[in-house]
Short mmCIF file of all heavy atoms in Angstrom, two decimals:
data_model
loop_
_atom_site.label_atom_id
_atom_site.label_comp_id
_atom_site.label_asym_id
_atom_site.label_seq_id
_atom_site.Cartn_x
_atom_site.Cartn_y
_atom_site.Cartn_z
N MET A 1 145.09 95.16 58.27
CA MET A 1 144.60 96.44 58.35
C MET A 1 143.04 96.47 58.84
O MET A 1 142.29 95.60 58.27
CB MET A 1 144.59 97.20 56.85
CG MET A 1 146.04 97.63 56.56
SD MET A 1 146.67 99.01 57.54
CE MET A 1 145.98 100.36 56.50
N CYS A 2 142.71 97.32 59.58
CA CYS A 2 141.27 97.54 59.89
C CYS A 2 141.14 98.96 60.36
O CYS A 2 142.10 99.68 60.62
CB CYS A 2 140.86 96.55 61.12
SG CYS A 2 141.60 96.95 62.67
N SER A 3 139.89 99.41 60.48
CA SER A 3 139.65 100.77 60.92
C SER A 3 139.44 100.84 62.43
O SER A 3 138.67 99.91 62.99
CB SER A 3 138.58 101.42 60.14
OG SER A 3 137.38 100.62 60.32
N CYS A 4 139.93 101.84 63.05
CA CYS A 4 139.69 102.09 64.46
C CYS A 4 138.25 102.75 64.68
O CYS A 4 138.03 103.64 64.05
CB CYS A 4 140.76 102.93 65.00
SG CYS A 4 140.55 103.51 66.67
N PRO A 5 137.54 102.24 65.61
CA PRO A 5 136.26 102.74 65.84
C PRO A 5 136.29 104.13 66.58
O PRO A 5 135.27 104.86 66.59
CB PRO A 5 135.60 101.70 66.82
CG PRO A 5 136.63 100.93 67.34
CD PRO A 5 137.84 100.96 66.39
N GLU A 6 137.46 104.41 67.15
CA GLU A 6 137.58 105.68 67.86
C GLU A 6 137.96 106.79 66.96
O GLU A 6 137.41 107.82 66.99
CB GLU A 6 138.45 105.45 69.01
CG GLU A 6 137.97 104.67 70.19
CD GLU A 6 136.70 105.40 70.89
OE1 GLU A 6 136.86 106.57 71.19
OE2 GLU A 6 135.77 104.78 71.10
N CYS A 7 139.16 106.64 66.31
CA CYS A 7 139.78 107.72 65.57
C CYS A 7 139.50 107.58 64.08
O CYS A 7 139.84 108.37 63.26
CB CYS A 7 141.25 107.87 65.81
SG CYS A 7 142.20 106.41 65.52
N LEU A 8 138.62 106.46 63.66
CA LEU A 8 138.35 106.20 62.30
C LEU A 8 139.48 106.21 61.27
O LEU A 8 139.24 106.50 60.14
CB LEU A 8 137.23 107.24 61.95
CG LEU A 8 136.01 107.27 62.90
CD1 LEU A 8 135.10 108.35 62.48
CD2 LEU A 8 135.18 105.91 62.82
N GLN A 9 140.72 105.88 61.71
CA GLN A 9 141.76 105.76 60.91
C GLN A 9 142.04 104.27 60.55
O GLN A 9 141.69 103.41 61.29
CB GLN A 9 143.06 106.38 61.59
CG GLN A 9 142.91 107.78 61.96
CD GLN A 9 142.99 108.70 60.73
OE1 GLN A 9 143.81 108.50 59.94
NE2 GLN A 9 142.03 109.57 60.74
N TYR A 10 142.60 104.14 59.30
CA TYR A 10 142.97 102.78 59.02
C TYR A 10 144.35 102.45 59.63
O TYR A 10 145.33 103.12 59.33
CB TYR A 10 143.04 102.64 57.51
CG TYR A 10 141.66 102.34 56.87
CD1 TYR A 10 141.00 103.39 56.29
CD2 TYR A 10 141.11 101.05 56.89
CE1 TYR A 10 139.72 103.15 55.73
CE2 TYR A 10 139.85 100.79 56.41
CZ TYR A 10 139.22 101.87 55.81
OH TYR A 10 137.91 101.74 55.34
N ILE A 11 144.31 101.55 60.50
CA ILE A 11 145.44 101.21 61.29
C ILE A 11 145.78 99.73 61.31
O ILE A 11 144.97 98.94 61.04
CB ILE A 11 145.41 101.70 62.79
CG1 ILE A 11 143.94 101.32 63.41
CG2 ILE A 11 145.69 103.19 62.87
CD1 ILE A 11 143.96 100.15 64.14
N THR A 12 147.00 99.40 61.58
CA THR A 12 147.33 98.05 61.90
C THR A 12 147.42 97.88 63.34
O THR A 12 148.05 98.54 64.08
CB THR A 12 148.70 97.67 61.24
OG1 THR A 12 148.75 98.09 59.93
CG2 THR A 12 149.08 96.20 61.37
N THR A 13 146.52 97.00 63.93
CA THR A 13 146.46 96.92 65.31
C THR A 13 147.75 96.47 65.98
O THR A 13 148.49 95.63 65.47
CB THR A 13 145.37 95.92 65.69
OG1 THR A 13 145.50 94.61 64.98
CG2 THR A 13 143.96 96.46 65.34
N GLN A 14 148.04 97.13 67.14
CA GLN A 14 149.14 96.69 67.91
C GLN A 14 148.62 95.52 68.73
O GLN A 14 147.63 95.62 69.49
CB GLN A 14 149.41 97.82 68.95
CG GLN A 14 150.86 98.22 68.93
CD GLN A 14 151.09 99.49 69.70
OE1 GLN A 14 150.33 99.78 70.58
NE2 GLN A 14 152.08 100.26 69.32
N VAL A 15 149.38 94.38 68.59
CA VAL A 15 148.93 93.18 69.26
C VAL A 15 149.80 92.88 70.52
O VAL A 15 151.08 92.98 70.49
CB VAL A 15 148.95 92.02 68.26
CG1 VAL A 15 148.55 90.74 68.97
CG2 VAL A 15 148.27 92.23 67.13
N SER A 16 149.19 92.68 71.65
CA SER A 16 149.85 92.31 72.81
C SER A 16 149.13 91.08 73.41
O SER A 16 147.90 90.96 73.24
CB SER A 16 149.96 93.50 73.73
OG SER A 16 148.69 93.93 74.15
N ARG A 17 149.81 90.36 74.22
CA ARG A 17 149.23 89.26 74.84
C ARG A 17 149.17 89.48 76.30
O ARG A 17 150.06 90.10 76.90
CB ARG A 17 150.02 87.91 74.51
CG ARG A 17 149.80 87.49 73.11
CD ARG A 17 150.56 86.19 72.93
NE ARG A 17 150.71 85.87 71.52
CZ ARG A 17 149.74 85.27 70.80
NH1 ARG A 17 148.58 85.10 71.39
NH2 ARG A 17 149.81 85.02 69.59
N SER A 18 148.13 88.99 76.91
CA SER A 18 148.10 89.15 78.43
C SER A 18 147.60 87.86 79.01
O SER A 18 147.03 87.12 78.56
CB SER A 18 147.15 90.27 78.74
OG SER A 18 145.89 89.88 78.55
N VAL A 19 147.97 87.73 80.29
CA VAL A 19 147.60 86.52 80.99
C VAL A 19 146.12 86.80 81.45
O VAL A 19 145.79 87.74 82.00
CB VAL A 19 148.43 86.30 82.25
CG1 VAL A 19 147.87 85.22 83.19
CG2 VAL A 19 149.88 86.11 81.90
N SER A 20 145.34 85.94 80.99
CA SER A 20 143.81 86.11 81.30
C SER A 20 143.42 85.25 82.49
O SER A 20 144.21 84.43 83.07
CB SER A 20 142.99 85.70 80.11
OG SER A 20 143.20 84.29 79.80
N SER A 21 142.15 85.36 82.76
CA SER A 21 141.69 84.52 83.89
C SER A 21 141.65 83.08 83.51
O SER A 21 141.75 82.22 84.38
CB SER A 21 140.23 84.96 84.19
OG SER A 21 139.52 84.94 83.01
N VAL A 22 141.66 82.93 82.16
CA VAL A 22 141.68 81.34 81.77
C VAL A 22 143.09 80.75 82.15
O VAL A 22 143.15 79.63 82.60
CB VAL A 22 141.58 81.25 80.13
CG1 VAL A 22 141.70 79.89 79.68
CG2 VAL A 22 140.16 81.84 79.90
N THR A 23 144.00 81.65 82.05
CA THR A 23 145.42 81.14 82.40
C THR A 23 145.45 80.76 83.82
O THR A 23 146.01 79.72 84.21
CB THR A 23 146.47 82.30 82.17
OG1 THR A 23 146.23 82.88 80.87
CG2 THR A 23 147.89 81.76 82.19
N TRP A 24 144.83 81.52 84.67
CA TRP A 24 144.80 81.24 86.19
C TRP A 24 143.92 79.96 86.38
O TRP A 24 144.38 79.09 87.19
CB TRP A 24 144.13 82.37 86.93
CG TRP A 24 145.14 83.49 87.04
CD1 TRP A 24 145.09 84.67 86.39
CD2 TRP A 24 146.36 83.59 87.97
NE1 TRP A 24 146.26 85.45 86.82
CE2 TRP A 24 146.97 84.68 87.64
CE3 TRP A 24 146.88 82.63 88.86
CZ2 TRP A 24 148.13 85.09 88.44
CZ3 TRP A 24 148.02 82.95 89.55
CH2 TRP A 24 148.55 84.15 89.30
N LEU A 25 142.85 79.73 85.54
CA LEU A 25 142.03 78.63 85.78
C LEU A 25 142.83 77.32 85.42
O LEU A 25 142.78 76.35 86.11
CB LEU A 25 140.77 78.65 84.96
CG LEU A 25 139.63 79.45 85.44
CD1 LEU A 25 138.53 79.65 84.42
CD2 LEU A 25 139.02 78.67 86.69
N VAL A 26 143.57 77.40 84.28
CA VAL A 26 144.30 76.26 83.90
C VAL A 26 145.42 76.02 84.89
O VAL A 26 145.70 74.79 85.28
CB VAL A 26 144.96 76.51 82.48
CG1 VAL A 26 145.87 75.49 82.10
CG2 VAL A 26 143.90 76.68 81.41
N CYS A 27 145.99 76.95 85.48
CA CYS A 27 147.01 76.97 86.44
C CYS A 27 146.44 76.21 87.70
O CYS A 27 147.10 75.22 88.19
CB CYS A 27 147.54 78.22 86.77
SG CYS A 27 148.64 78.28 88.22
N MET A 28 145.38 76.60 88.17
CA MET A 28 144.72 76.01 89.36
C MET A 28 144.40 74.60 89.01
O MET A 28 144.50 73.66 89.83
CB MET A 28 143.48 76.83 89.81
CG MET A 28 143.93 78.03 90.54
SD MET A 28 142.51 78.89 91.30
CE MET A 28 141.99 79.92 89.89
N ALA A 29 143.82 74.37 87.78
CA ALA A 29 143.43 72.92 87.52
C ALA A 29 144.60 72.03 87.47
O ALA A 29 144.54 70.82 87.89
CB ALA A 29 142.75 72.98 86.13
N THR A 30 145.74 72.57 86.88
CA THR A 30 146.95 71.76 86.88
C THR A 30 147.51 71.45 88.31
O THR A 30 147.89 70.33 88.57
CB THR A 30 148.05 72.49 86.13
OG1 THR A 30 147.48 73.13 85.01
CG2 THR A 30 149.11 71.60 85.60
N THR A 31 147.35 72.35 89.18
CA THR A 31 147.82 72.23 90.51
C THR A 31 146.92 71.21 91.23
O THR A 31 147.40 70.31 91.92
CB THR A 31 147.68 73.57 91.32
OG1 THR A 31 148.27 74.55 90.52
CG2 THR A 31 148.45 73.48 92.73
N LEU A 32 145.59 71.21 90.96
CA LEU A 32 144.65 70.38 91.64
C LEU A 32 144.90 68.93 91.15
O LEU A 32 144.59 67.96 91.79
CB LEU A 32 143.19 70.81 91.34
CG LEU A 32 142.73 71.97 92.17
CD1 LEU A 32 141.35 72.47 91.61
CD2 LEU A 32 142.62 71.59 93.61
N MET A 33 145.42 68.75 89.85
CA MET A 33 145.51 67.44 89.36
C MET A 33 146.85 66.78 89.86
O MET A 33 147.12 65.74 89.52
CB MET A 33 145.62 67.42 87.80
CG MET A 33 144.28 67.57 87.18
SD MET A 33 144.32 67.37 85.41
CE MET A 33 145.02 68.79 84.93
N GLY A 34 147.40 67.46 90.82
CA GLY A 34 148.59 66.84 91.53
C GLY A 34 149.90 67.18 90.95
O GLY A 34 150.92 66.47 91.25
N CYS A 35 150.01 68.11 90.09
CA CYS A 35 151.26 68.49 89.51
C CYS A 35 152.12 69.22 90.58
O CYS A 35 151.60 70.04 91.42
CB CYS A 35 151.22 69.34 88.25
SG CYS A 35 150.66 68.37 86.82
N VAL A 36 153.49 69.05 90.51
CA VAL A 36 154.33 69.69 91.51
C VAL A 36 154.44 71.21 90.97
O VAL A 36 154.15 71.54 89.98
CB VAL A 36 155.74 69.07 91.56
CG1 VAL A 36 155.66 67.75 92.38
CG2 VAL A 36 156.33 68.83 90.14
N ALA A 37 154.90 71.96 91.97
CA ALA A 37 155.07 73.42 91.65
C ALA A 37 156.01 73.61 90.53
O ALA A 37 157.01 72.79 90.46
CB ALA A 37 155.67 74.11 92.89
N GLY A 38 155.74 74.52 89.58
CA GLY A 38 156.60 74.52 88.35
C GLY A 38 155.80 74.06 87.19
O GLY A 38 155.70 74.76 86.22
N CYS A 39 155.03 72.93 87.46
CA CYS A 39 154.31 72.30 86.37
C CYS A 39 153.07 73.31 86.16
O CYS A 39 152.61 73.52 85.01
CB CYS A 39 153.81 70.99 86.85
SG CYS A 39 153.49 69.98 85.48
N CYS A 40 152.57 73.95 87.22
CA CYS A 40 151.39 74.80 87.12
C CYS A 40 151.83 76.20 86.51
O CYS A 40 150.96 76.94 86.13
CB CYS A 40 150.79 75.10 88.44
SG CYS A 40 151.85 76.07 89.61
N LEU A 41 153.05 76.36 86.25
CA LEU A 41 153.49 77.59 85.61
C LEU A 41 153.52 77.41 84.02
O LEU A 41 153.71 78.38 83.38
CB LEU A 41 154.94 77.94 86.09
CG LEU A 41 155.01 78.40 87.58
CD1 LEU A 41 156.48 78.59 87.88
CD2 LEU A 41 154.26 79.67 87.81
N ILE A 42 153.34 76.22 83.65
CA ILE A 42 153.34 75.98 82.14
C ILE A 42 152.33 76.77 81.43
O ILE A 42 152.67 77.34 80.40
CB ILE A 42 153.16 74.40 81.99
CG1 ILE A 42 154.40 73.63 82.32
CG2 ILE A 42 152.80 74.13 80.36
CD1 ILE A 42 154.27 72.15 82.30
N PRO A 43 151.09 76.97 81.97
CA PRO A 43 150.07 77.73 81.13
C PRO A 43 150.54 79.09 80.92
O PRO A 43 150.14 79.70 79.85
CB PRO A 43 148.83 77.77 81.97
CG PRO A 43 148.93 76.50 82.85
CD PRO A 43 150.44 76.30 83.07
N PHE A 44 151.46 79.73 81.67
CA PHE A 44 151.95 81.06 81.43
C PHE A 44 152.88 81.10 80.31
O PHE A 44 153.15 82.16 79.84
CB PHE A 44 152.63 81.52 82.74
CG PHE A 44 151.66 81.84 83.92
CD1 PHE A 44 151.49 80.88 84.82
CD2 PHE A 44 150.87 82.92 83.85
CE1 PHE A 44 150.49 81.16 85.91
CE2 PHE A 44 149.96 83.22 84.93
CZ PHE A 44 149.76 82.29 85.97
N CYS A 45 153.40 79.96 79.89
CA CYS A 45 154.38 79.86 78.81
C CYS A 45 153.63 79.56 77.51
O CYS A 45 154.17 79.75 76.37
CB CYS A 45 155.45 78.85 79.09
SG CYS A 45 156.33 79.08 80.60
N LEU A 46 152.45 79.15 77.53
CA LEU A 46 151.74 78.85 76.31
C LEU A 46 150.83 80.07 75.85
O LEU A 46 149.95 80.44 76.59
CB LEU A 46 150.92 77.54 76.58
CG LEU A 46 151.68 76.25 76.99
CD1 LEU A 46 150.62 75.20 77.37
CD2 LEU A 46 152.52 75.81 75.86
N ASP A 47 151.13 80.45 74.73
CA ASP A 47 150.37 81.50 74.09
C ASP A 47 148.85 81.15 74.02
O ASP A 47 148.02 82.12 74.07
CB ASP A 47 150.86 81.98 72.84
CG ASP A 47 152.10 82.91 72.95
OD1 ASP A 47 152.33 83.29 74.10
OD2 ASP A 47 152.81 83.14 71.96
N SER A 48 148.60 79.91 73.79
CA SER A 48 147.25 79.51 73.52
C SER A 48 146.22 79.63 74.76
O SER A 48 145.16 79.71 74.65
CB SER A 48 147.12 78.06 73.02
OG SER A 48 147.79 77.22 73.98
N PHE A 49 146.89 79.86 75.92
CA PHE A 49 146.18 80.05 77.06
C PHE A 49 146.00 81.56 77.46
O PHE A 49 145.50 81.95 78.47
CB PHE A 49 146.73 79.28 78.23
CG PHE A 49 146.54 77.76 78.10
CD1 PHE A 49 147.63 77.00 78.07
CD2 PHE A 49 145.34 77.23 78.11
CE1 PHE A 49 147.51 75.67 77.92
CE2 PHE A 49 145.14 75.90 77.93
CZ PHE A 49 146.26 75.06 77.91
N LYS A 50 146.63 82.36 76.58
CA LYS A 50 146.52 83.80 76.81
C LYS A 50 145.65 84.52 75.96
O LYS A 50 145.36 84.02 74.86
CB LYS A 50 147.90 84.39 76.75
CG LYS A 50 148.94 83.84 77.87
CD LYS A 50 150.34 84.35 77.56
CE LYS A 50 151.21 83.76 78.46
NZ LYS A 50 152.64 84.03 78.24
N SER A 51 145.07 85.59 76.37
CA SER A 51 144.30 86.37 75.43
C SER A 51 145.11 87.38 74.69
O SER A 51 146.03 87.87 75.13
CB SER A 51 143.15 87.10 76.22
OG SER A 51 143.66 87.78 77.24
N THR A 52 144.65 87.70 73.41
CA THR A 52 145.38 88.63 72.64
C THR A 52 144.61 89.92 72.59
O THR A 52 143.36 89.99 72.30
CB THR A 52 145.46 88.01 71.13
OG1 THR A 52 145.85 86.76 71.25
CG2 THR A 52 146.44 88.91 70.33
N ILE A 53 145.32 91.01 72.76
CA ILE A 53 144.66 92.33 72.85
C ILE A 53 145.11 93.15 71.61
O ILE A 53 146.27 93.29 71.39
CB ILE A 53 145.06 93.13 74.11
CG1 ILE A 53 144.57 92.41 75.27
CG2 ILE A 53 144.41 94.49 74.13
CD1 ILE A 53 145.28 92.80 76.66
N HIS A 54 144.10 93.58 70.85
CA HIS A 54 144.44 94.39 69.70
C HIS A 54 144.12 95.86 70.05
O HIS A 54 142.98 96.26 70.41
CB HIS A 54 143.46 94.00 68.50
CG HIS A 54 143.92 92.61 68.01
ND1 HIS A 54 144.73 92.48 66.91
CD2 HIS A 54 143.42 91.38 68.31
CE1 HIS A 54 144.89 91.14 66.65
NE2 HIS A 54 144.14 90.50 67.54
N LYS A 55 145.11 96.66 69.89
CA LYS A 55 145.01 98.04 70.10
C LYS A 55 145.33 98.98 69.01
O LYS A 55 146.12 98.59 68.19
CB LYS A 55 146.05 98.44 71.34
CG LYS A 55 145.46 98.09 72.77
CD LYS A 55 146.41 98.65 73.71
CE LYS A 55 145.81 98.60 75.21
NZ LYS A 55 146.69 99.12 76.12
N CYS A 56 144.64 100.15 69.06
CA CYS A 56 144.99 101.19 68.03
C CYS A 56 146.28 101.90 68.44
O CYS A 56 146.39 102.40 69.58
CB CYS A 56 143.83 102.10 67.93
SG CYS A 56 144.17 103.46 66.97
N PRO A 57 147.29 101.87 67.65
CA PRO A 57 148.53 102.49 67.84
C PRO A 57 148.47 104.09 67.92
O PRO A 57 149.32 104.79 68.48
CB PRO A 57 149.48 102.10 66.78
CG PRO A 57 148.55 101.76 65.64
CD PRO A 57 147.35 101.28 66.16
N ARG A 58 147.35 104.60 67.38
CA ARG A 58 147.12 106.13 67.30
C ARG A 58 146.54 106.59 68.68
O ARG A 58 147.02 107.48 69.25
CB ARG A 58 146.28 106.42 66.11
CG ARG A 58 147.03 106.51 64.83
CD ARG A 58 146.00 106.69 63.69
NE ARG A 58 146.76 106.64 62.38
CZ ARG A 58 147.09 107.76 61.76
NH1 ARG A 58 146.80 109.01 62.26
NH2 ARG A 58 147.68 107.74 60.64
N CYS A 59 145.40 106.05 68.96
CA CYS A 59 144.61 106.58 70.21
C CYS A 59 144.68 105.60 71.30
O CYS A 59 144.10 105.89 72.37
CB CYS A 59 143.23 106.95 69.78
SG CYS A 59 142.31 105.58 69.25
N ASN A 60 145.40 104.47 71.15
CA ASN A 60 145.54 103.47 72.21
C ASN A 60 144.28 102.89 72.77
O ASN A 60 144.15 102.48 73.81
CB ASN A 60 146.34 104.17 73.37
CG ASN A 60 147.23 103.25 74.04
OD1 ASN A 60 147.87 102.38 73.30
ND2 ASN A 60 147.57 103.32 75.25
N THR A 61 143.26 102.82 71.93
CA THR A 61 142.03 102.24 72.22
C THR A 61 142.06 100.74 72.06
O THR A 61 142.62 100.21 71.01
CB THR A 61 140.81 102.80 71.40
OG1 THR A 61 140.82 104.12 71.54
CG2 THR A 61 139.56 102.15 71.70
N THR A 62 141.58 100.01 72.97
CA THR A 62 141.48 98.50 72.76
C THR A 62 140.39 98.21 71.81
O THR A 62 139.21 98.53 72.14
CB THR A 62 141.26 97.85 74.16
OG1 THR A 62 142.35 98.28 75.08
CG2 THR A 62 141.26 96.32 74.00
N ILE A 63 140.72 97.66 70.67
CA ILE A 63 139.63 97.47 69.69
C ILE A 63 139.02 96.12 69.91
O ILE A 63 137.78 96.00 69.96
CB ILE A 63 140.33 97.52 68.28
CG1 ILE A 63 140.78 98.98 67.91
CG2 ILE A 63 139.33 97.02 67.23
CD1 ILE A 63 141.81 99.05 66.82
N THR A 64 139.78 95.17 70.13
CA THR A 64 139.27 93.85 70.39
C THR A 64 140.17 92.96 71.33
O THR A 64 141.35 93.17 71.27
CB THR A 64 138.84 93.03 69.23
OG1 THR A 64 138.27 91.82 69.42
CG2 THR A 64 140.06 92.78 68.32
N THR A 65 139.56 92.09 72.08
CA THR A 65 140.35 91.21 72.97
C THR A 65 139.89 89.76 72.49
O THR A 65 138.74 89.47 72.61
CB THR A 65 140.12 91.43 74.37
OG1 THR A 65 140.30 92.82 74.74
CG2 THR A 65 141.02 90.54 75.21
N VAL A 66 140.86 89.05 71.98
CA VAL A 66 140.59 87.70 71.50
C VAL A 66 140.91 86.74 72.70
O VAL A 66 142.11 86.65 73.11
CB VAL A 66 141.42 87.37 70.30
CG1 VAL A 66 141.10 85.97 69.81
CG2 VAL A 66 141.10 88.35 69.18
N LYS A 67 140.04 86.09 73.21
CA LYS A 67 140.15 85.20 74.27
C LYS A 67 140.33 83.82 73.75
O LYS A 67 139.51 83.34 72.89
CB LYS A 67 139.07 85.20 75.37
CG LYS A 67 139.32 86.42 76.29
CD LYS A 67 138.33 86.41 77.40
CE LYS A 67 138.58 87.60 78.25
NZ LYS A 67 137.42 87.92 79.14
N LYS A 68 141.26 83.01 74.19
CA LYS A 68 141.48 81.66 73.75
C LYS A 68 140.60 80.70 74.62
O LYS A 68 140.23 81.13 75.85
CB LYS A 68 142.85 81.24 73.76
CG LYS A 68 143.78 82.09 72.89
CD LYS A 68 143.36 81.85 71.38
CE LYS A 68 144.12 82.87 70.52
NZ LYS A 68 145.51 82.63 70.30
N LEU A 69 140.26 79.57 74.21
CA LEU A 69 139.48 78.57 74.80
C LEU A 69 137.94 78.96 74.95
O LEU A 69 137.69 80.09 74.98
CB LEU A 69 139.93 78.11 76.23
CG LEU A 69 141.34 77.52 76.21
CD1 LEU A 69 141.81 77.27 77.71
CD2 LEU A 69 141.51 76.16 75.53
ZN1 ZN B 101 142.26 104.74 67.08
#
């Protein structure tokens, strides 16, 4: 539970994950290291390389974005 800065209600944030620029960086780094195609898609499967977006379910405001790495 936390309070939304927009509607000032106590809400449980809606959590969604998105592919961040970090994911693309890891993807390119993997490709540059000589991995074959397919191998560079691994970062997209790993949650640790994605950012987590916390949204308010009431007003749909993005409260915080947690970036990994
Ligand atoms: Zn809200």
Side-chain angles (χ1 to χ4, degrees):
M1 286 289 274
C2 71
S3 60
C4 170
E6 286 296 315
C7 57
L8 306 170
Q9 298 289 312
Y10 279 98
I11 44 96
T12 307
T13 53
Q14 226 170 31
V15 179
S16 60
R17 289 183 192 280
S18 77
V19 175
S20 64
S21 51
V22 175
T23 315
W24 284 105
L25 276 171
V26 174
C27 174
M28 281 187 274
T30 319
T31 313
L32 284 171
M33 280 189 289
C35 284
V36 286
C39 208
C40 67
L41 294 172
I42 289 171
F44 291 98
C45 306
L46 299 172
D47 279 351
S48 54
F49 291 117
K50 294 174 188 173
S51 49
T52 312
I53 300 163
H54 291 267
K55 274 187 172 184
C56 170
R58 282 171 181 262
C59 61
N60 220 31
T61 302
T62 305
I63 295 163
T64 182
T65 307
V66 181
K67 281 187 179 162
K68 299 293 170 76
L69 296 176

